[in-house]
Amino acid sequence: MQRRSAEPPPSSEVTGSDPIVWVASDRSNLFFPVRTYSPKPGDIERAWHVVDADGAVLGRVASEVATLLRGKHKPTWAPHVDAGDHVIVVNAAKLDIGPRKAEGKRYWRHSGYPGGIKSESLGRLFERDPEKVVRQAVKGMLPKGRLGRQMFRKLRVYAGPTHPHAAQKPVARPLASGTRR
């Protein structure tokens, strides 16, 4: 395979697709393969964020938190590296869940024994343990496997407005305007 010149051909030799060929050949990655970026452990800086879920929609909060946990908001993001930040979710008990969603959405679990399947509505689970609702919503948006479990360990959820992580100096992360009803 010959590399074409970066110089444009003289105007007398230009035919149909020649101008496109000489421009595209200079930018082609056939000669310069693209390398996968992989951040080194020293390049990763972890911050602490506080997300206030008061009056916010569950799925929109969960997607924002999953983005922070994965590190997709950083320029050093890579899909195979855990480059995410620590996230603290407060006021999980004050999430905005509609009545149809509270009754219609079911959470299933199985004991492992025959006939051991149990189900619970979102509304009932939210009354019993609002932190678990947020954790399960975020967990479903993270990668499955070792990498996802490592990212999930950096999530802390609290039903009330206080948390014991003041020593880490977390930064308040405002949610986008469309996350509240």
Side-chain angles (χ1 to χ4, degrees):
M1 179 180 282
Q2 285 185 328
R3 180 169 170 90
R4 297 185 188 216
S5 168
E7 302 288 324
S11 60
S12 62
E13 296 178 21
V14 174
T15 61
S17 65
D18 284 342
I20 295 172
V21 171
W22 69 263
V23 171
S25 66
D26 191 37
R27 296 183 180 142
S28 175
N29 55 355
L30 292 173
F31 303 104
F32 303 103
V34 177
R35 308 299 282 174
T36 301
Y37 174 72
S38 184
K40 309 288 183 279
D43 298 341
I44 298 170
E45 295 179 12
R46 301 203 191 278
W48 285 72
H49 301 281
V50 176
V51 176
D52 187 10
D54 186 12
V57 179
L58 173 64
R60 294 176 190 254
V61 170
S63 64
E64 179 72 22
V65 169
T67 300
L68 293 171
L69 289 173
R70 289 196 73 187
K72 291 188 86 170
H73 62 291
K74 297 180 178 183
T76 58
W77 179 76
H80 61 287
V81 177
D82 178 17
D85 295 337
H86 295 268
V87 181
I88 304 164
V89 179
V90 294
N91 291 323
K94 296 181 181 177
L95 279 168
D96 183 21
I97 297 175
R100 185 180 299 171
K101 179 73 76 172
E103 293 305 313
K105 181 165 179 60
R106 313 284 305 169
Y107 289 99
W108 300 86
R109 62 185 188 276
H110 199 284
S111 66
Y113 290 98
I117 195 159
K118 305 217 187 267
S119 72
E120 189 173 23
S121 70
L122 171 61
R124 171 116 171 77
L125 182 62
F126 189 68
E127 289 172 11
R128 188 170 60 83
D129 190 3
E131 298 168 6
K132 189 171 185 178
V133 171
V134 175
R135 270 195 241 94
Q136 284 189 339
V138 172
K139 189 175 185 178
M141 297 183 185
L142 291 176
K144 311 308 180 250
R146 262 189 338 193
L147 183 63
R149 287 190 296 272
Q150 185 178 349
M151 293 173 181
F152 188 65
R153 281 188 213 112
K154 296 187 309 262
L155 173 67
R156 280 91 174 168
V157 183
Y158 299 99
T162 60
H163 61 84
H165 305 288
Q168 281 73 31
K169 298 181 179 72
V171 178
R173 177 81 177 199
L175 295 172
S177 61
T179 58
R180 304 190 191 281
R181 281 196 189 149

